[in-house]
Amino acid sequence: MDQFIHRLVILIAFGGLLIAYKTEAQSGSSRSQLDTLLQDYGYQAFVRPRTGVFYDGAAPTNLSGIKISVVRLRSGSLRRKGVHSFKEFDIPVGLIVQPYVERIVFVYQNLGNWSSVYYPLPGFTYLAPVLGLLIYDAANLSAKNLPELDFIASKSPITINFTNVAAVLNGMTPQCVWFNLDGLPEFRELMSENVCSTYRQGHFSIVVNSTGLAPSPSPGGGPGLNPSPSPIPSKSHKSKVWKIVGGVVGGFIGLILLSLLLAWFLIHRQNRKVAEMERQADVGEALRMTRVGSTQAPVATGTRTQPILENEYVA
């Protein structure tokens, strides 16, 4: 019984950590699934593919508002010439693809009003939609579930010129944010007004601290963050995120308290067993004492086998 309770305490403590890990794992899984899905839909735009031509794809109907575009290039040509004005991205010469493949495909993503759904940033507000730039092998344009290749700009950075960026009040400082393939954010300063830079692939946007923002642009003002229809309003989504975080933290604290309570119960029970054993030892039967020489020694009241003299067996 004690071993069962001890294991239960360990499982409860481990459960709190598992809840927090599972929440983050599910979020990372949804981002990865989105990239895989958009790669598939982007490749479908290559009906009659030509190298160096931009093709706009169609996102799934349940992700209305997301825009995708693709371009196929030779790795050698990409390194020598770069790509000028691929949507908001300007790719310079010197781009190195790893591992090397003969042809590559750039997949461009504009997450629109799904930005805060897939890339929530508590405490910050997006001034522009999240834009993605990922690179894949172009050997098979019918392939699905392709892993991303890696690349690095070896000479000068890739620039991202955001358009229709929401205004902020005086004194607020917009920042660039870069999400790597694991979804981890990194904040950087803008190169110039509404322009960010990067040396690697991932997802990018401009954000500002949520306090003191000016009203967002009207829905018809361009590819902002609030086009109609909106799948999930920004405020309600943030509230939902905080509720989830609060629930996880509250549940974890509750599990810790329950673990402490069970640990106290086990210690108290063990102490009671020790006290009972000591009590039984104190009230046990005392042995009779006898004098041996000049000292007192305990003796048993009898022996198990009475001694018999050998001559008793003689007839």
Side-chain angles (χ1 to χ4, degrees):
M1 183 65 179
D2 291 343
Q3 188 177 11
F4 171 76
I5 296 177
H6 179 68
R7 290 179 178 178
L8 182 61
V9 171
I10 296 175
L11 288 174
I12 290 174
F14 177 73
L17 297 175
L18 184 61
I19 291 174
Y21 171 79
K22 187 176 181 181
T23 301
E24 176 58 29
Q26 288 175 342
S27 177
S29 176
S30 64
R31 290 189 295 264
S32 178
Q33 290 173 1
L34 177 67
D35 292 339
T36 299
L37 183 65
L38 296 183
Q39 176 265 315
D40 178 25
Y41 275 76
Y43 272 39
Q44 293 179 23
F46 289 120
V47 179
R48 295 180 179 177
R50 295 175 57 191
T51 301
V53 177
F54 303 154
Y55 294 89
D56 291 331
T61 55
N62 62 330
L63 293 174
S64 176
I66 292 181
K67 299 178 181 179
I68 52 179
S69 187
V70 292
V71 60
R72 185 178 67 164
L73 301 164
R74 291 183 178 273
S75 296
S77 176
L78 170 65
R79 185 170 184 176
R80 293 191 306 270
K81 301 178 181 179
V83 182
H84 180 64
S85 297
F86 178 42
K87 300 298 183 178
E88 289 89 346
F89 291 89
D90 197 81
I91 303 170
V93 299
L95 198 74
I96 301 174
V97 179
Q98 298 173 335
Y100 175 82
V101 293
E102 184 178 352
R103 293 175 183 266
I104 60 94
V105 170
F106 277 116
V107 176
Y108 161 88
Q109 304 174 5
N110 184 328
L111 300 189
N113 54 340
W114 292 88
S115 299
S116 58
V117 177
Y118 286 97
Y119 293 90
L121 269 182
F124 292 85
T125 296
Y126 286 105
L127 302 181
V130 170
L131 305 179
L133 183 67
L134 304 176
I135 190 171
Y136 300 91
D137 189 356
N140 181 6
L141 296 182
S142 299
K144 299 181 180 181
N145 300 320
L146 289 175
E148 296 88 356
L149 301 176
D150 194 15
F151 71 78
I152 183 170
S154 61
K155 295 184 177 180
S156 56
I158 299 169
T159 57
I160 311 144
N161 188 6
F162 291 89
T163 58
N164 296 320
V165 180
V168 295
L169 296 177
N170 292 334
M172 304 301 296
T173 304
Q175 294 177 284
C176 298
V177 61
W178 166 57
F179 296 93
N180 63 18
L181 295 182
D182 294 324
L184 300 177
E186 181 178 315
F187 297 92
R188 301 172 179 174
E189 296 182 357
L190 276 73
M191 285 186 64
S192 59
E193 185 178 4
N194 301 338
V195 177
C196 296
S197 64
T198 181
Y199 285 88
R200 294 191 176 276
Q201 65 183 331
H203 291 79
F204 313 88
S205 188
I206 298 178
V207 297
V208 72
N209 216 298
S210 298
T211 309
L213 279 177
S216 299
S218 60
L225 294 182
N226 297 300
S228 180
S230 175
I232 301 179
S234 177
K235 290 185 178 180
S236 64
H237 173 70
K238 289 181 180 179
S239 176
K240 182 179 179 181
V241 170
W242 281 113
K243 286 181 181 179
I244 293 174
V245 173
V248 171
V249 173
F252 185 61
I253 293 175
L255 289 173
I256 291 177
L257 293 177
L258 182 58
S259 301
L260 293 176
L261 179 62
L262 289 175
W264 174 85
F265 172 76
L266 290 175
I267 295 173
H268 178 69
R269 185 175 179 180
Q270 184 67 23
N271 290 338
R272 287 183 58 185
K273 284 186 176 181
V274 173
E276 179 66 18
M277 293 173 62
E278 292 177 349
R279 187 186 67 80
Q280 291 179 0
D282 292 339
V283 299
E285 182 180 356
L287 294 176
R288 185 168 60 86
M289 304 296 291
T290 186
R291 179 174 294 279
V292 179
S294 60
T295 62
Q296 294 284 341
V299 295
T301 56
T303 59
R304 295 178 60 183
T305 305
Q306 296 293 331
I308 302 176
L309 296 177
E310 291 183 358
N311 56 13
E312 293 182 4
Y313 291 98
V314 179

